[in-house]
Amino acid sequence: MAMLSRIENGWFKERPTLWPGQAMSLEVDTVLYAGKSEFQDVLVFKSAAYGNVLVLDGVIQVTERDEFAYQEMITHLAMFSHPNPQRILVVGGGDGGVVREVLKHDSVQEVYLCEIDETVIDVAKQFLPSMASSYKDPRVSIKIMDGAQFMSENQDFFDVIITDSSDPVGPADVLFKPPYFEKMNSALRQGGIICSQGECIWLHLDLIRPLLESCRLIFPSVSYAYTTIPTYPSGQIGFVLCGKSADTSFSNPHRVCEPGSAIQKKLRYYNHDIHKAAFVLPEFARRAIAGEKEE
Amino acid sequence: MAMLSRIENGWFKERPTLWPGQAMSLEVDTVLYAGKSEFQDVLVFKSAAYGNVLVLDGVIQVTERDEFAYQEMITHLAMFSHPNPQRILVVGGGDGGVVREVLKHDSVQEVYLCEIDETVIDVAKQFLPSMASSYKDPRVSIKIMDGAQFMSENQDFFDVIITDSSDPVGPADVLFKPPYFEKMNSALRQGGIICSQGECIWLHLDLIRPLLESCRLIFPSVSYAYTTIPTYPSGQIGFVLCGKSADTSFSNPHRVCEPGSAIQKKLRYYNHDIHKAAFVLPEFARRAIAGEKEE
């Protein structure tokens, strides 16, 4: 198992793929699973400080301790920006965490999870039950297939599409390209919204800037936000949000998560103020995305 | 040199002191300095991706690539919250980065740097010139002494005190205790403001919460903010801000850093919007600091 070689002296060291020269290490308690699926290396271990950890192709995907930051933000930034989200598509996200978050909205009637790698779903059911237990909800349908293919078969159908992908190397590369965003646009119905994993402003502005420019040619509303999360490279990750309607305002969302509300009580990272703050970028990133030069 | 042992196979791995089970690693190009000062182990290396890196007692203090995030935020959150900051004290911060940021404000007349470990200043002058060159400014006085001692000798004197400390283990431990905050309060003149390095909400809520409670017994205005920074544990670090006047509003600062202004052009992380957003905490941290229980 190739990825077991990344564990030395009781520590797992992440493989620097798109972040040369830096690596996060986590102390390993026990290896729970190590195998190779049709698409990628899959490793699950119990860590000393972050609970169970899922690793794909040497890159940390989720840890039980901090996954809520990512899952809540990629989900609720989109969901609260939509007035009445009923039909939801999650592409990737085989761990089930995004589905869990989507189901917290009472308006939701149908959730489709489109994951290309069934092994991810299987190991999540076994080792990440706080995420994968969401699959038991009767509103959820699991499709083991390519997300773009599923969208082609369901045009003008979804209110929200969330793409919870790994990094743009290997199987997820196509999910960062304009044709995929065009497919999402066609699969949305009126007023629909997409939110895609958007890499990190500290590492990937050269990828983020052209991606946002492409999105602006496809969608009338485009914005970029981020969340902090300790176990992703550089401690944060961003999101690309696009709306099919020109009047979607992401940083001032349609619905407000009220303090003390039933849904707020289920959330550990997201609140209405952090939603708005998530769109405020440090000056270097703001300038780069706006196409301004650094002084 | 004890800290050289933290470099293996060309990678430096941070010593997990207050963050068990996780460690940041940086690829090493060349070791530039390894020694032991009167107070701590001192290591400087040229990294593959983050420029020159200063390490004290096995913990990353600054890297040339991302230091601006920390230096700008710990400095300007305080400086812009004060209407007319003239006399500034920096405790710790021997690398010179905070002094560099303080000097960007035209109102500043005197800056005192109080660093207990002269070795840090010396290695910064040699290996971190973009930070330490600030020492050449005639408004700057360097004091190699204990910060609390210097404050005892200068009561009712400073407009802003910035404590740029290492973590609360070893020489910096006292800088996180109530007596030190009382000393800062006495050393401030009317309307004065302090900003102290305040650890990380992902790791140290058990330290942050009682620290803020202590501060509220000493200062009429107390607030907590944070910045992202890839090479600090979990990718972010917080700040404790306190004001001697009850009317200091940190999240709505007295002076606005206008887009396009001379000072904004010198800043790469800070802007007025990120100042306000820095005080917005994720729900779990907001609840913990407010003393609410998680559901």
Side-chain angles (χ1 to χ4, degrees), chain A residues 25-67:
Chain A
S25 297
L26 293 176
E27 193 176 354
V28 177
D29 190 289
T30 323
V31 173
L32 300 171
Y33 180 92
K36 200 163 164 47
S37 76
E38 189 185 341
F39 299 93
Q40 50 207 342
D41 274 300
V42 180
L43 171 69
V44 184
F45 64 88
K46 180 165 181 275
S47 67
Y50 278 81
N52 290 353
V53 180
L54 170 66
V55 176
L56 299 178
D57 281 346
V59 176
I60 296 166
Q61 301 297 311
V62 288
T63 85
E64 288 183 315
R65 175 164 156 193
D66 66 1
E67 54 90 12

Side-chain angles (χ1 to χ4, degrees), chain B residues 1 25 42 57 76-77 97 127 143 149 154 179-180 183 233 279:
Chain B
M1 293 305 121
S25 297
V42 180
D57 281 344
H76 301 301
L77 288 175
F127 302 112
K143 307 285 176 185
Q149 175 64 25
N154 293 279
Y180 179 73
K183 281 213 167 70
F279 292 87

Side-chain angles (χ1 to χ4, degrees), chain A residues 51-228:
Chain A
N52 290 353
V53 180
L54 170 66
V55 176
L56 299 178
D57 281 346
V59 176
I60 296 166
Q61 301 297 311
V62 288
T63 85
E64 288 183 315
R65 175 164 156 193
D66 66 1
E67 54 90 12
F68 67 96
Y70 174 78
Q71 319 273 21
E72 289 188 17
M73 291 298 274
I74 196 172
T75 303
H76 302 301
L77 288 175
M79 294 293 284
F80 279 102
S81 297
H82 193 287
N84 185 28
Q86 299 180 325
R87 282 190 199 143
I88 317 298
L89 170 61
V90 180
V91 177
D95 53 67
V98 170
V99 170
R100 177 192 68 200
E101 294 304 318
V102 163
L103 292 169
K104 291 178 180 172
H105 291 258
D106 292 338
S107 60
V108 169
Q109 295 170 351
E110 303 164 40
V111 185
Y112 299 87
L113 177 88
C114 221
E115 166 65 61
I116 204 166
D117 191 345
E118 190 167 16
T119 305
V120 175
I121 294 174
D122 292 340
V123 299
K125 284 179 178 170
Q126 196 170 354
F127 301 112
L128 303 168
S130 66
M131 290 164 248
S133 61
S134 62
Y135 293 139
K136 295 174 188 160
D137 191 288
R139 291 170 287 176
V140 178
S141 305
I142 296 178
K143 307 284 176 185
I144 308 298
M145 65 186 289
D146 174 61
Q149 175 65 25
F150 185 66
M151 287 191 275
S152 299
E153 298 165 10
N154 293 280
Q155 296 280 292
D156 194 25
F157 190 77
F158 302 103
D159 297 310
V160 173
I161 300 173
I162 297 168
T163 304
D164 174 15
S165 72
S166 47
D167 298 304
V169 281
D173 187 36
V174 294
L175 305 180
F176 291 80
K177 297 280 166 57
Y180 179 73
F181 284 80
E182 281 163 8
K183 281 212 167 71
M184 289 196 285
N185 189 31
S186 309
L188 289 176
R189 55 180 170 180
Q190 186 70 23
I193 283 170
I194 67 114
C195 184
S196 278
Q197 193 267 88
E199 298 296 315
C200 175
I201 55 169
W202 279 100
L203 297 166
H204 307 119
L205 279 174
D206 289 350
L207 180 154
I208 295 165
R209 190 181 154 185
L211 177 58
L212 292 175
E213 283 170 3
S214 306
C215 286
R216 288 195 194 98
L217 300 176
I218 302 167
F219 292 94
S221 302
V222 176
S223 201
Y224 189 83
Y226 73 97
T227 187
T228 70

Side-chain angles (χ1 to χ4, degrees), chain B residues 3-292:
Chain B
M3 286 308 133
L4 279 180
S5 70
R6 301 210 64 80
I7 300 178
E8 266 186 35
N9 302 320
W11 285 72
F12 166 82
K13 182 177 172 189
E14 191 166 43
R15 192 164 69 99
T17 53
L18 296 176
W19 40 91
Q22 69 185 83
M24 178 72 165
S25 297
L26 293 176
E27 194 177 353
V28 177
D29 189 288
T30 323
V31 173
L32 300 171
Y33 179 92
K36 199 164 164 48
S37 77
E38 189 185 341
F39 299 93
Q40 49 206 342
D41 274 298
V42 180
L43 171 69
V44 184
F45 63 87
K46 180 166 181 275
S47 67
Y50 278 81
N52 290 353
V53 180
L54 170 66
V55 177
L56 298 178
D57 281 344
V59 176
I60 296 167
Q61 302 296 312
V62 288
T63 85
E64 287 183 316
R65 175 164 155 193
D66 66 1
E67 53 91 12
F68 66 96
Y70 174 76
Q71 319 273 21
E72 289 187 17
M73 291 298 273
I74 195 172
T75 304
H76 301 301
L77 288 175
M79 294 293 283
F80 279 102
S81 297
H82 193 287
N84 184 28
Q86 298 180 325
R87 283 190 199 143
I88 318 298
L89 171 61
V90 180
V91 178
D95 54 67
V98 171
V99 170
R100 178 193 68 202
E101 294 305 317
V102 164
L103 292 168
K104 291 177 180 173
H105 291 258
D106 290 338
S107 60
V108 169
Q109 295 170 352
E110 303 163 41
V111 185
Y112 299 87
L113 177 89
C114 221
E115 166 65 60
I116 205 166
D117 192 345
E118 190 167 17
T119 305
V120 175
I121 296 176
D122 291 342
V123 299
K125 283 178 177 170
Q126 198 172 351
F127 302 112
L128 303 167
S130 66
M131 288 164 249
S133 61
S134 63
Y135 292 140
K136 294 175 187 158
D137 190 290
R139 291 170 287 177
V140 177
S141 304
I142 298 177
K143 307 285 176 185
I144 309 299
M145 65 187 288
D146 175 60
Q149 175 64 25
F150 185 67
M151 286 191 275
S152 300
E153 298 165 9
N154 293 279
Q155 297 281 292
D156 194 25
F157 191 77
F158 302 104
D159 297 312
V160 172
I161 301 173
I162 297 168
T163 304
D164 173 15
S165 72
S166 46
D167 297 303
V169 281
D173 188 35
V174 293
L175 305 180
F176 291 81
K177 298 280 165 59
Y180 179 73
F181 284 80
E182 282 162 8
K183 281 213 167 70
M184 289 196 285
N185 190 32
S186 308
L188 289 175
R189 55 180 171 181
Q190 186 69 25
I193 283 169
I194 67 113
C195 184
S196 278
Q197 193 266 86
E199 298 297 314
C200 175
I201 54 170
W202 279 100
L203 297 166
H204 306 120
L205 278 174
D206 289 347
L207 180 154
I208 295 164
R209 190 182 154 185
L211 178 59
L212 292 175
E213 282 169 5
S214 307
C215 287
R216 287 193 194 100
L217 300 176
I218 301 167
F219 293 93
S221 303
V222 176
S223 201
Y224 190 84
Y226 73 96
T227 186
T228 70
I229 174 163
T231 58
Y232 282 172
S234 295
Q236 63 177 267
I237 197 159
F239 308 108
V240 177
L241 289 122
C242 305
K244 200 172 174 109
S245 304
D247 63 353
T248 302
S249 168
F250 290 111
S251 58
N252 197 13
H254 205 283
R255 293 185 298 136
V256 173
C257 184
E258 299 286 353
S261 62
I263 189 166
Q264 180 66 78
K265 287 179 181 168
K266 294 176 191 165
L267 302 177
R268 295 175 62 203
Y269 196 95
Y270 182 94
N271 58 40
H272 183 63
D273 290 337
I274 206 92
H275 180 126
K276 290 186 290 183
F279 292 87
V280 179
L281 301 182
E283 183 65 6
F284 75 96
R286 188 199 65 72
R287 279 183 199 154
I289 286 173
E292 295 172 24

